[in-house]
Amino acid sequence: MFPVTSEHRRGNNPLTGQASNECDPACAKQARGDKGGSVPDSPLRNGAHLILLLAALLAGIAIFLVVRQAVIPEGFGLYGHYRAGALKDNRMKPVSFAGREVCAGCHFDPDEALRAGKHGKISCETCHGPQSAHAADPASGVPAKPNAQGLCRRCHESDAAKPAHFPQVASVSHSGGAACNSCHEPHKPGFAKIAGERSGKK
Amino acid sequence: MKDLSRRQLFEKAGRFLILSNAAAAALNSAEPNPYSTADHWWGMTIDIDQCIGCGNCAAACQAENKVPEEFHRTWIERYQVQGDDYQHPQVESPHGGREGFTPLPESAAKSFYVPKLCNHCATSPCVQVCPVGATFESPDGVVLVDESYCVGCRYCVQACPYGTRFIHPEKQVADKCTLCYHRITQGLTTACAEACPTGARKLADLKDPKDPVHEFLRTNTIQVLKPQMATGSKVYYKNLDGAVR
Amino acid sequence: MLMGPTGVEGFMYPNEVELQWSVLIVLYPFITGLVAGAFILASLERVFKVEAVKPTYRLALLTALAFLIVAPLPLQMHLGHPERSFEMYLTPHRSSAMAMFGFIYLWYLMVVLLVEIWLDYRAEIVHRSQTSKGLLKFVYTLLTLGSKNVSPGALRLDDRVGYIVTLIGIPSAFLLHGYVGFIFGSVKANAWWSTPLMPIVFLFSAMVSGIAAVMLIYMAVSWYQKRPIDMRCLDTIAKYLFYVFLIDFSLEMLDLVHRIYEADESFHSLDFMVHTRLFFSQVVLQIWIGTILPLALLAVTQVRTFTEAVRRGIYASAGLLTMVGIFAMRWNVVIGGQLFSKSYLGYTTYKLEFATREGLLPSILLMILPFLILWTLVKLLPPFEERHSL
């Protein structure tokens, strides 16, 4: 069937020292001796160890399949190739930013002031930081007042990369170091305080 | 508080608490609140003309999602393009823009800000390569990581063309933008969109016929990042410059 | 452009600064390459009947086994959660190039290599199970798998089955390493990796490194055991090394020329890298010292005749240089592919640490381990005839 002959495989080169040269007859004799008789040269008998090997291999695969079924995580593959529970895990993360609506539920005035002015679209927590803990339980602590100076400049300091339509000031020349909220109301930056207090700029 | 008596306040507080407790209870039950993944297909729109580079989005993302200091789920890049040399823009993103940028003086260069985040690709290369199914696309179109299942092989990090993934230094698993999945499934917007003062970044539900995203896509010049990668990106940029990588 | 304190030049996306795949992942394709190459050398004798390389047949198989056992270790050590790696077998993701590696590995180890070695050594194992004593006797008895049948009929059957296994083994070896190339070549996000040539280049470089490794090990073992070297065998191996290396080199040059000529958006970045950060490992080590020099040495032996001693010297130095070249190639693929930003606007540096989990020390240990295993295997299953002992 195959072009392999014992001549090709065995005993040609003394260096390979194939077993057939020397030990084969001995081994074979011993093996026969062990069995205490002659071993018929039947293919079935001669292939027994191969069948055993195959059986072991198949058994290994079978065990793997059974174990796999048992330890595969629950719900895996329900929606796709992933653990269905991972969706819920991702949903269960805590929320830090409560959202403007929530703040407005208690703090009417800042909300109204904000809506009336140019800062109307800005969410409270953009300036006040994440406050869900405070919103859930105000008694747990009072949020620190934001540092107006740094806050305002971060958004309003002149910067060539900012869109031209966005109101920007060079704080040094605009206020000369004075606190921004001494003239501007953070919640309503365009009105109130400014009127009359400053003659002009630019 | 001048505007509100304490009593009033605590009445409101009580109402809020009840509301939030109800929401939490609904989440905890086996059958979560009315949210159905079949009704949504999430994405985001970014209007380059509105971005002022304040970095509040990057900072908010870090606060909301406990993002480690040296890595970023979202960040802002500042581009400077000299004349016609759009092949070699100068780009910077100090701390991912979390602390804002130092002002750039007027110059001959064209300059602008570009917020970046996971593109929640519809045919995502990171999901494709994950050997175990620890990163996946949710039925509502968000690419998520299963932290309890990720082996930390980093193949997904290599496969993402946008550099939006990283290995969480403590958890040793892949970490990335979840589009604030914990928020958007409760009717909130993402932390970055919440913190954006100008509306430059907005959460978009492409399955909701009333979402302004449809008008946005129809009436503007829209581009996605690295369209040649054909990843089905769902983060749509308005007026994105050709120099952006 | 300025060099930042972290070794970053130009602009990297903020998450890119730190490299994802370390020197351990360099070892992985290097080691699997040796496995595939050694096996293909062994099959030369068995399937293609290149009689001359017969003395190295068994040695090549044992070398392949020793390295195959170590191959998954660097991967395992690199994982963020090694304890979860079994998930690759539990829920392999069919679209992931990496997921299939586990299965190809198991197939190759359990169905190809172990079976072939077992069949080839069975007669001796049985013999030794009867003649040796103590623990060794137990080990050999275990290895017989309970069958003592070494009748000529059984051995003939073993031989045929072994032949079939080798026949299956060749495409499996191709798969094993071509596949490793595919893991890199299929990452479209990475211009340095993404090329359909990658699996082929990996395959041929694997053969090169495997053949060179077996050649060196054969010389070393012969020298150590004071056994005469079969020069006909060595000459033949060197000839094959030369030709396979030529193909490998042509493929790599094809890739290079193609990149230079096409000069797509990534070219500027890659070109810059090859001229700066990768200059030493790519141009000097990989191309000049690790490829052109050994190729020239081997070429000389093909056209001129030398004495045996000179030939041995040339083969040994060519073999060593080849190993350096192939290692450099793996390094340049894995590490090089991560030194530039996917924005093509900047570059980072790889900081190789020493005694950390992914440092130099574990890598050195991992490279010593296969030789220890091979040493044990050679003791347990001598690849050469041993007239004196036993």
Side-chain angles (χ1 to χ4, degrees), chain A residues 83 97 105-106 108-109 123 136 154 159-160, chain B residues 3-4 12 17 54 98 104 113 146 183 194:
Chain A
R83 206 171 52 84
F97 285 82
C106 292
F108 301 132
D109 262 19
S123 161
R154 184 159 168 175
D159 175 351
Chain B
D3 41 18
L4 222 58
K12 297 221 179 256
L17 282 177
C54 64
R98 272 174 196 156
L104 193 69
Y113 291 102
D146 183 347
R183 299 176 59 91
E194 174 76 29

mmCIF file with all atom_site columns, all heavy atoms in Angstrom, chain A residues 83 97 105-106 108-109 123 136 154 159-160, chain B residues 3-4 12 17 54 98 104 113 146 183 194:
data_model
loop_
_atom_site.group_PDB
_atom_site.id
_atom_site.type_symbol
_atom_site.label_atom_id
_atom_site.label_alt_id
_atom_site.label_comp_id
_atom_site.label_asym_id
_atom_site.label_entity_id
_atom_site.label_seq_id
_atom_site.pdbx_PDB_ins_code
_atom_site.Cartn_x
_atom_site.Cartn_y
_atom_site.Cartn_z
_atom_site.occupancy
_atom_site.B_iso_or_equiv
_atom_site.pdbx_formal_charge
_atom_site.auth_seq_id
_atom_site.auth_comp_id
_atom_site.auth_asym_id
_atom_site.auth_atom_id
_atom_site.pdbx_PDB_model_num
ATOM 1   N N   . ARG A 1 83  ? -20.750 35.607 27.206 1.00 0.00 ? 83  ARG A N   1
ATOM 2   C CA  . ARG A 1 83  ? -21.544 35.245 28.374 1.00 0.00 ? 83  ARG A CA  1
ATOM 3   C C   . ARG A 1 83  ? -22.698 36.230 28.501 1.00 0.00 ? 83  ARG A C   1
ATOM 4   O O   . ARG A 1 83  ? -22.468 37.444 28.580 1.00 0.00 ? 83  ARG A O   1
ATOM 5   C CB  . ARG A 1 83  ? -20.643 35.336 29.616 1.00 0.00 ? 83  ARG A CB  1
ATOM 6   C CG  . ARG A 1 83  ? -21.016 34.487 30.784 1.00 0.00 ? 83  ARG A CG  1
ATOM 7   C CD  . ARG A 1 83  ? -19.909 34.545 31.811 1.00 0.00 ? 83  ARG A CD  1
ATOM 8   N NE  . ARG A 1 83  ? -19.564 35.919 32.131 1.00 0.00 ? 83  ARG A NE  1
ATOM 9   C CZ  . ARG A 1 83  ? -20.224 36.666 33.033 1.00 0.00 ? 83  ARG A CZ  1
ATOM 10  N NH1 . ARG A 1 83  ? -21.224 36.151 33.712 1.00 0.00 ? 83  ARG A NH1 1
ATOM 11  N NH2 . ARG A 1 83  ? -19.852 37.911 33.250 1.00 0.00 ? 83  ARG A NH2 1
ATOM 12  N N   . PHE A 1 97  ? -22.230 60.605 37.709 1.00 0.00 ? 97  PHE A N   1
ATOM 13  C CA  . PHE A 1 97  ? -22.852 61.853 37.261 1.00 0.00 ? 97  PHE A CA  1
ATOM 14  C C   . PHE A 1 97  ? -24.367 61.663 37.273 1.00 0.00 ? 97  PHE A C   1
ATOM 15  O O   . PHE A 1 97  ? -24.901 60.890 36.480 1.00 0.00 ? 97  PHE A O   1
ATOM 16  C CB  . PHE A 1 97  ? -22.381 62.210 35.854 1.00 0.00 ? 97  PHE A CB  1
ATOM 17  C CG  . PHE A 1 97  ? -20.978 62.736 35.814 1.00 0.00 ? 97  PHE A CG  1
ATOM 18  C CD1 . PHE A 1 97  ? -19.893 61.864 35.810 1.00 0.00 ? 97  PHE A CD1 1
ATOM 19  C CD2 . PHE A 1 97  ? -20.731 64.099 35.794 1.00 0.00 ? 97  PHE A CD2 1
ATOM 20  C CE1 . PHE A 1 97  ? -18.602 62.349 35.784 1.00 0.00 ? 97  PHE A CE1 1
ATOM 21  C CE2 . PHE A 1 97  ? -19.437 64.591 35.771 1.00 0.00 ? 97  PHE A CE2 1
ATOM 22  C CZ  . PHE A 1 97  ? -18.366 63.716 35.766 1.00 0.00 ? 97  PHE A CZ  1
ATOM 23  N N   . GLY A 1 105 ? -34.022 69.116 40.193 1.00 0.00 ? 105 GLY A N   1
ATOM 24  C CA  . GLY A 1 105 ? -35.130 68.708 41.046 1.00 0.00 ? 105 GLY A CA  1
ATOM 25  C C   . GLY A 1 105 ? -35.056 69.365 42.414 1.00 0.00 ? 105 GLY A C   1
ATOM 26  O O   . GLY A 1 105 ? -36.074 69.551 43.071 1.00 0.00 ? 105 GLY A O   1
ATOM 27  N N   . CYS A 1 106 ? -33.904 69.715 42.904 1.00 0.00 ? 106 CYS A N   1
ATOM 28  C CA  . CYS A 1 106 ? -33.769 70.368 44.198 1.00 0.00 ? 106 CYS A CA  1
ATOM 29  C C   . CYS A 1 106 ? -33.331 71.822 44.065 1.00 0.00 ? 106 CYS A C   1
ATOM 30  O O   . CYS A 1 106 ? -33.803 72.688 44.779 1.00 0.00 ? 106 CYS A O   1
ATOM 31  C CB  . CYS A 1 106 ? -32.777 69.618 45.076 1.00 0.00 ? 106 CYS A CB  1
ATOM 32  S SG  . CYS A 1 106 ? -33.348 68.001 45.606 1.00 0.00 ? 106 CYS A SG  1
ATOM 33  N N   . PHE A 1 108 ? -33.668 74.782 42.297 1.00 0.00 ? 108 PHE A N   1
ATOM 34  C CA  . PHE A 1 108 ? -34.413 75.486 41.240 1.00 0.00 ? 108 PHE A CA  1
ATOM 35  C C   . PHE A 1 108 ? -33.671 76.693 40.714 1.00 0.00 ? 108 PHE A C   1
ATOM 36  O O   . PHE A 1 108 ? -33.554 76.908 39.526 1.00 0.00 ? 108 PHE A O   1
ATOM 37  C CB  . PHE A 1 108 ? -35.778 75.962 41.762 1.00 0.00 ? 108 PHE A CB  1
ATOM 38  C CG  . PHE A 1 108 ? -36.625 74.851 42.261 1.00 0.00 ? 108 PHE A CG  1
ATOM 39  C CD1 . PHE A 1 108 ? -37.249 74.952 43.493 1.00 0.00 ? 108 PHE A CD1 1
ATOM 40  C CD2 . PHE A 1 108 ? -36.806 73.711 41.491 1.00 0.00 ? 108 PHE A CD2 1
ATOM 41  C CE1 . PHE A 1 108 ? -38.038 73.924 43.956 1.00 0.00 ? 108 PHE A CE1 1
ATOM 42  C CE2 . PHE A 1 108 ? -37.595 72.694 41.961 1.00 0.00 ? 108 PHE A CE2 1
ATOM 43  C CZ  . PHE A 1 108 ? -38.216 72.784 43.188 1.00 0.00 ? 108 PHE A CZ  1
ATOM 44  N N   . ASP A 1 109 ? -33.184 77.517 41.672 1.00 0.00 ? 109 ASP A N   1
ATOM 45  C CA  . ASP A 1 109 ? -32.618 78.806 41.274 1.00 0.00 ? 109 ASP A CA  1
ATOM 46  C C   . ASP A 1 109 ? -31.439 78.702 40.323 1.00 0.00 ? 109 ASP A C   1
ATOM 47  O O   . ASP A 1 109 ? -31.442 79.334 39.265 1.00 0.00 ? 109 ASP A O   1
ATOM 48  C CB  . ASP A 1 109 ? -32.221 79.611 42.523 1.00 0.00 ? 109 ASP A CB  1
ATOM 49  C CG  . ASP A 1 109 ? -33.309 80.612 42.881 1.00 0.00 ? 109 ASP A CG  1
ATOM 50  O OD1 . ASP A 1 109 ? -34.446 80.377 42.373 1.00 0.00 ? 109 ASP A OD1 1
ATOM 51  O OD2 . ASP A 1 109 ? -33.033 81.573 43.600 1.00 0.00 ? 109 ASP A OD2 1
ATOM 52  N N   . SER A 1 123 ? -24.283 71.413 31.743 1.00 0.00 ? 123 SER A N   1
ATOM 53  C CA  . SER A 1 123 ? -24.825 70.633 32.847 1.00 0.00 ? 123 SER A CA  1
ATOM 54  C C   . SER A 1 123 ? -24.150 71.056 34.150 1.00 0.00 ? 123 SER A C   1
ATOM 55  O O   . SER A 1 123 ? -22.981 71.444 34.164 1.00 0.00 ? 123 SER A O   1
ATOM 56  C CB  . SER A 1 123 ? -24.584 69.156 32.578 1.00 0.00 ? 123 SER A CB  1
ATOM 57  O OG  . SER A 1 123 ? -24.682 68.431 33.771 1.00 0.00 ? 123 SER A OG  1
ATOM 58  N N   . ALA A 1 136 ? -28.094 61.733 45.864 1.00 0.00 ? 136 ALA A N   1
ATOM 59  C CA  . ALA A 1 136 ? -28.862 60.661 46.484 1.00 0.00 ? 136 ALA A CA  1
ATOM 60  C C   . ALA A 1 136 ? -29.077 60.949 47.960 1.00 0.00 ? 136 ALA A C   1
ATOM 61  O O   . ALA A 1 136 ? -30.094 60.583 48.523 1.00 0.00 ? 136 ALA A O   1
ATOM 62  C CB  . ALA A 1 136 ? -28.131 59.330 46.306 1.00 0.00 ? 136 ALA A CB  1
ATOM 63  N N   . ARG A 1 154 ? -10.436 77.492 31.739 1.00 0.00 ? 154 ARG A N   1
ATOM 64  C CA  . ARG A 1 154 ? -10.301 76.248 31.002 1.00 0.00 ? 154 ARG A CA  1
ATOM 65  C C   . ARG A 1 154 ? -11.188 76.266 29.766 1.00 0.00 ? 154 ARG A C   1
ATOM 66  O O   . ARG A 1 154 ? -10.839 75.738 28.718 1.00 0.00 ? 154 ARG A O   1
ATOM 67  C CB  . ARG A 1 154 ? -10.695 75.089 31.916 1.00 0.00 ? 154 ARG A CB  1
ATOM 68  C CG  . ARG A 1 154 ? -10.499 73.749 31.275 1.00 0.00 ? 154 ARG A CG  1
ATOM 69  C CD  . ARG A 1 154 ? -10.412 72.705 32.352 1.00 0.00 ? 154 ARG A CD  1
ATOM 70  N NE  . ARG A 1 154 ? -10.509 71.378 31.763 1.00 0.00 ? 154 ARG A NE  1
ATOM 71  C CZ  . ARG A 1 154 ? -10.365 70.283 32.457 1.00 0.00 ? 154 ARG A CZ  1
ATOM 72  N NH1 . ARG A 1 154 ? -10.130 70.335 33.748 1.00 0.00 ? 154 ARG A NH1 1
ATOM 73  N NH2 . ARG A 1 154 ? -10.472 69.107 31.869 1.00 0.00 ? 154 ARG A NH2 1
ATOM 74  N N   . ASP A 1 159 ? -7.629  80.613 22.614 1.00 0.00 ? 159 ASP A N   1
ATOM 75  C CA  . ASP A 1 159 ? -6.854  79.497 22.104 1.00 0.00 ? 159 ASP A CA  1
ATOM 76  C C   . ASP A 1 159 ? -7.171  79.390 20.621 1.00 0.00 ? 159 ASP A C   1
ATOM 77  O O   . ASP A 1 159 ? -8.338  79.314 20.224 1.00 0.00 ? 159 ASP A O   1
ATOM 78  C CB  . ASP A 1 159 ? -7.264  78.222 22.864 1.00 0.00 ? 159 ASP A CB  1
ATOM 79  C CG  . ASP A 1 159 ? -6.593  76.969 22.333 1.00 0.00 ? 159 ASP A CG  1
ATOM 80  O OD1 . ASP A 1 159 ? -5.929  77.030 21.276 1.00 0.00 ? 159 ASP A OD1 1
ATOM 81  O OD2 . ASP A 1 159 ? -6.746  75.919 22.983 1.00 0.00 ? 159 ASP A OD2 1
ATOM 82  N N   . ALA A 1 160 ? -6.115  79.437 19.802 1.00 0.00 ? 160 ALA A N   1
ATOM 83  C CA  . ALA A 1 160 ? -6.319  79.445 18.357 1.00 0.00 ? 160 ALA A CA  1
ATOM 84  C C   . ALA A 1 160 ? -7.042  78.189 17.872 1.00 0.00 ? 160 ALA A C   1
ATOM 85  O O   . ALA A 1 160 ? -7.654  78.182 16.816 1.00 0.00 ? 160 ALA A O   1
ATOM 86  C CB  . ALA A 1 160 ? -4.976  79.566 17.646 1.00 0.00 ? 160 ALA A CB  1
ATOM 87  N N   . ASP B 2 3   ? -33.284 79.812 48.186 1.00 0.00 ? 3   ASP B N   1
ATOM 88  C CA  . ASP B 2 3   ? -34.422 79.605 47.309 1.00 0.00 ? 3   ASP B CA  1
ATOM 89  C C   . ASP B 2 3   ? -35.347 78.485 47.771 1.00 0.00 ? 3   ASP B C   1
ATOM 90  O O   . ASP B 2 3   ? -36.459 78.363 47.313 1.00 0.00 ? 3   ASP B O   1
ATOM 91  C CB  . ASP B 2 3   ? -33.939 79.316 45.881 1.00 0.00 ? 3   ASP B CB  1
ATOM 92  C CG  . ASP B 2 3   ? -32.738 78.410 45.881 1.00 0.00 ? 3   ASP B CG  1
ATOM 93  O OD1 . ASP B 2 3   ? -32.525 77.757 46.915 1.00 0.00 ? 3   ASP B OD1 1
ATOM 94  O OD2 . ASP B 2 3   ? -32.030 78.370 44.892 1.00 0.00 ? 3   ASP B OD2 1
ATOM 95  N N   . LEU B 2 4   ? -34.896 77.690 48.694 1.00 0.00 ? 4   LEU B N   1
ATOM 96  C CA  . LEU B 2 4   ? -35.678 76.500 49.017 1.00 0.00 ? 4   LEU B CA  1
ATOM 97  C C   . LEU B 2 4   ? -35.636 76.301 50.528 1.00 0.00 ? 4   LEU B C   1
ATOM 98  O O   . LEU B 2 4   ? -34.584 76.346 51.126 1.00 0.00 ? 4   LEU B O   1
ATOM 99  C CB  . LEU B 2 4   ? -35.020 75.304 48.351 1.00 0.00 ? 4   LEU B CB  1
ATOM 100 C CG  . LEU B 2 4   ? -35.915 74.290 47.694 1.00 0.00 ? 4   LEU B CG  1
ATOM 101 C CD1 . LEU B 2 4   ? -36.755 74.972 46.616 1.00 0.00 ? 4   LEU B CD1 1
ATOM 102 C CD2 . LEU B 2 4   ? -35.067 73.218 47.054 1.00 0.00 ? 4   LEU B CD2 1
ATOM 103 N N   . LYS B 2 12  ? -38.215 66.880 48.397 1.00 0.00 ? 12  LYS B N   1
ATOM 104 C CA  . LYS B 2 12  ? -37.716 66.559 47.062 1.00 0.00 ? 12  LYS B CA  1
ATOM 105 C C   . LYS B 2 12  ? -36.672 65.449 47.133 1.00 0.00 ? 12  LYS B C   1
ATOM 106 O O   . LYS B 2 12  ? -36.640 64.551 46.319 1.00 0.00 ? 12  LYS B O   1
ATOM 107 C CB  . LYS B 2 12  ? -37.092 67.793 46.418 1.00 0.00 ? 12  LYS B CB  1
ATOM 108 C CG  . LYS B 2 12  ? -38.115 68.887 46.213 1.00 0.00 ? 12  LYS B CG  1
ATOM 109 C CD  . LYS B 2 12  ? -37.913 69.552 44.889 1.00 0.00 ? 12  LYS B CD  1
ATOM 110 C CE  . LYS B 2 12  ? -38.964 70.639 44.680 1.00 0.00 ? 12  LYS B CE  1
ATOM 111 N NZ  . LYS B 2 12  ? -39.989 70.201 43.759 1.00 0.00 ? 12  LYS B NZ  1
ATOM 112 N N   . LEU B 2 17  ? -34.918 60.008 46.204 1.00 0.00 ? 17  LEU B N   1
ATOM 113 C CA  . LEU B 2 17  ? -34.426 58.750 46.747 1.00 0.00 ? 17  LEU B CA  1
ATOM 114 C C   . LEU B 2 17  ? -35.330 57.601 46.342 1.00 0.00 ? 17  LEU B C   1
ATOM 115 O O   . LEU B 2 17  ? -34.868 56.537 45.947 1.00 0.00 ? 17  LEU B O   1
ATOM 116 C CB  . LEU B 2 17  ? -34.332 58.834 48.271 1.00 0.00 ? 17  LEU B CB  1
ATOM 117 C CG  . LEU B 2 17  ? -33.109 59.594 48.772 1.00 0.00 ? 17  LEU B CG  1
ATOM 118 C CD1 . LEU B 2 17  ? -33.144 59.695 50.286 1.00 0.00 ? 17  LEU B CD1 1
ATOM 119 C CD2 . LEU B 2 17  ? -31.843 58.895 48.312 1.00 0.00 ? 17  LEU B CD2 1
ATOM 120 N N   . CYS B 2 54  ? -11.940 71.685 26.116 1.00 0.00 ? 54  CYS B N   1
ATOM 121 C CA  . CYS B 2 54  ? -11.874 71.924 27.554 1.00 0.00 ? 54  CYS B CA  1
ATOM 122 C C   . CYS B 2 54  ? -11.470 70.661 28.303 1.00 0.00 ? 54  CYS B C   1
ATOM 123 O O   . CYS B 2 54  ? -10.977 70.740 29.427 1.00 0.00 ? 54  CYS B O   1
ATOM 124 C CB  . CYS B 2 54  ? -13.207 72.455 28.078 1.00 0.00 ? 54  CYS B CB  1
ATOM 125 S SG  . CYS B 2 54  ? -14.577 71.297 27.932 1.00 0.00 ? 54  CYS B SG  1
ATOM 126 N N   . ARG B 2 98  ? -7.290  65.567 29.730 1.00 0.00 ? 98  ARG B N   1
ATOM 127 C CA  . ARG B 2 98  ? -8.099  65.577 30.956 1.00 0.00 ? 98  ARG B CA  1
ATOM 128 C C   . ARG B 2 98  ? -7.974  66.884 31.718 1.00 0.00 ? 98  ARG B C   1
ATOM 129 O O   . ARG B 2 98  ? -8.900  67.322 32.392 1.00 0.00 ? 98  ARG B O   1
ATOM 130 C CB  . ARG B 2 98  ? -7.642  64.447 31.880 1.00 0.00 ? 98  ARG B CB  1
ATOM 131 C CG  . ARG B 2 98  ? -8.343  63.157 31.618 1.00 0.00 ? 98  ARG B CG  1
ATOM 132 C CD  . ARG B 2 98  ? -7.725  62.075 32.479 1.00 0.00 ? 98  ARG B CD  1
ATOM 133 N NE  . ARG B 2 98  ? -8.127  60.776 31.987 1.00 0.00 ? 98  ARG B NE  1
ATOM 134 C CZ  . ARG B 2 98  ? -7.438  59.671 32.202 1.00 0.00 ? 98  ARG B CZ  1
ATOM 135 N NH1 . ARG B 2 98  ? -6.325  59.710 32.880 1.00 0.00 ? 98  ARG B NH1 1
ATOM 136 N NH2 . ARG B 2 98  ? -7.881  58.530 31.733 1.00 0.00 ? 98  ARG B NH2 1
ATOM 137 N N   . LEU B 2 104 ? -3.164  77.915 22.707 1.00 0.00 ? 104 LEU B N   1
ATOM 138 C CA  . LEU B 2 104 ? -2.294  77.971 21.537 1.00 0.00 ? 104 LEU B CA  1
ATOM 139 C C   . LEU B 2 104 ? -2.373  79.387 20.970 1.00 0.00 ? 104 LEU B C   1
ATOM 140 O O   . LEU B 2 104 ? -3.456  79.890 20.703 1.00 0.00 ? 104 LEU B O   1
ATOM 141 C CB  . LEU B 2 104 ? -2.812  76.970 20.506 1.00 0.00 ? 104 LEU B CB  1
ATOM 142 C CG  . LEU B 2 104 ? -1.927  76.606 19.326 1.00 0.00 ? 104 LEU B CG  1
ATOM 143 C CD1 . LEU B 2 104 ? -0.750  75.793 19.802 1.00 0.00 ? 104 LEU B CD1 1
ATOM 144 C CD2 . LEU B 2 104 ? -2.744  75.803 18.328 1.00 0.00 ? 104 LEU B CD2 1
ATOM 145 N N   . TYR B 2 113 ? -9.597  70.806 17.600 1.00 0.00 ? 113 TYR B N   1
ATOM 146 C CA  . TYR B 2 113 ? -9.616  69.679 18.550 1.00 0.00 ? 113 TYR B CA  1
ATOM 147 C C   . TYR B 2 113 ? -10.423 68.512 17.991 1.00 0.00 ? 113 TYR B C   1
ATOM 148 O O   . TYR B 2 113 ? -11.429 68.713 17.304 1.00 0.00 ? 113 TYR B O   1
ATOM 149 C CB  . TYR B 2 113 ? -10.236 70.114 19.873 1.00 0.00 ? 113 TYR B CB  1
ATOM 150 C CG  . TYR B 2 113 ? -9.374  71.083 20.643 1.00 0.00 ? 113 TYR B CG  1
ATOM 151 C CD1 . TYR B 2 113 ? -9.660  72.445 20.654 1.00 0.00 ? 113 TYR B CD1 1
ATOM 152 C CD2 . TYR B 2 113 ? -8.283  70.621 21.366 1.00 0.00 ? 113 TYR B CD2 1
ATOM 153 C CE1 . TYR B 2 113 ? -8.873  73.328 21.368 1.00 0.00 ? 113 TYR B CE1 1
ATOM 154 C CE2 . TYR B 2 113 ? -7.489  71.504 22.074 1.00 0.00 ? 113 TYR B CE2 1
ATOM 155 C CZ  . TYR B 2 113 ? -7.781  72.849 22.076 1.00 0.00 ? 113 TYR B CZ  1
ATOM 156 O OH  . TYR B 2 113 ? -6.994  73.724 22.783 1.00 0.00 ? 113 TYR B OH  1
ATOM 157 N N   . ASP B 2 146 ? -16.166 41.565 28.898 1.00 0.00 ? 146 ASP B N   1
ATOM 158 C CA  . ASP B 2 146 ? -16.579 40.758 30.042 1.00 0.00 ? 146 ASP B CA  1
ATOM 159 C C   . ASP B 2 146 ? -15.350 40.602 30.937 1.00 0.00 ? 146 ASP B C   1
ATOM 160 O O   . ASP B 2 146 ? -14.498 39.756 30.712 1.00 0.00 ? 146 ASP B O   1
ATOM 161 C CB  . ASP B 2 146 ? -17.068 39.392 29.555 1.00 0.00 ? 146 ASP B CB  1
ATOM 162 C CG  . ASP B 2 146 ? -17.580 38.526 30.699 1.00 0.00 ? 146 ASP B CG  1
ATOM 163 O OD1 . ASP B 2 146 ? -17.332 38.887 31.859 1.00 0.00 ? 146 ASP B OD1 1
ATOM 164 O OD2 . ASP B 2 146 ? -18.205 37.493 30.426 1.00 0.00 ? 146 ASP B OD2 1
ATOM 165 N N   . ARG B 2 183 ? -25.215 53.696 32.051 1.00 0.00 ? 183 ARG B N   1
ATOM 166 C CA  . ARG B 2 183 ? -26.025 54.919 32.064 1.00 0.00 ? 183 ARG B CA  1
ATOM 167 C C   . ARG B 2 183 ? -27.073 54.902 30.949 1.00 0.00 ? 183 ARG B C   1
ATOM 168 O O   . ARG B 2 183 ? -28.252 55.193 31.185 1.00 0.00 ? 183 ARG B O   1
ATOM 169 C CB  . ARG B 2 183 ? -25.130 56.149 31.873 1.00 0.00 ? 183 ARG B CB  1
ATOM 170 C CG  . ARG B 2 183 ? -24.092 56.342 32.951 1.00 0.00 ? 183 ARG B CG  1
ATOM 171 C CD  . ARG B 2 183 ? -23.185 57.520 32.614 1.00 0.00 ? 183 ARG B CD  1
ATOM 172 N NE  . ARG B 2 183 ? -23.948 58.759 32.478 1.00 0.00 ? 183 ARG B NE  1
ATOM 173 C CZ  . ARG B 2 183 ? -24.182 59.587 33.472 1.00 0.00 ? 183 ARG B CZ  1
ATOM 174 N NH1 . ARG B 2 183 ? -23.686 59.353 34.668 1.00 0.00 ? 183 ARG B NH1 1
ATOM 175 N NH2 . ARG B 2 183 ? -24.909 60.663 33.286 1.00 0.00 ? 183 ARG B NH2 1
ATOM 176 N N   . GLU B 2 194 ? -22.638 64.247 28.940 1.00 0.00 ? 194 GLU B N   1
ATOM 177 C CA  . GLU B 2 194 ? -23.196 65.012 30.051 1.00 0.00 ? 194 GLU B CA  1
ATOM 178 C C   . GLU B 2 194 ? -22.283 66.192 30.370 1.00 0.00 ? 194 GLU B C   1
ATOM 179 O O   . GLU B 2 194 ? -22.746 67.293 30.645 1.00 0.00 ? 194 GLU B O   1
ATOM 180 C CB  . GLU B 2 194 ? -23.334 64.086 31.272 1.00 0.00 ? 194 GLU B CB  1
ATOM 181 C CG  . GLU B 2 194 ? -23.779 64.753 32.560 1.00 0.00 ? 194 GLU B CG  1
ATOM 182 C CD  . GLU B 2 194 ? -25.265 65.068 32.557 1.00 0.00 ? 194 GLU B CD  1
ATOM 183 O OE1 . GLU B 2 194 ? -26.017 64.342 31.880 1.00 0.00 ? 194 GLU B OE1 1
ATOM 184 O OE2 . GLU B 2 194 ? -25.659 66.047 33.220 1.00 0.00 ? 194 GLU B OE2 1
#
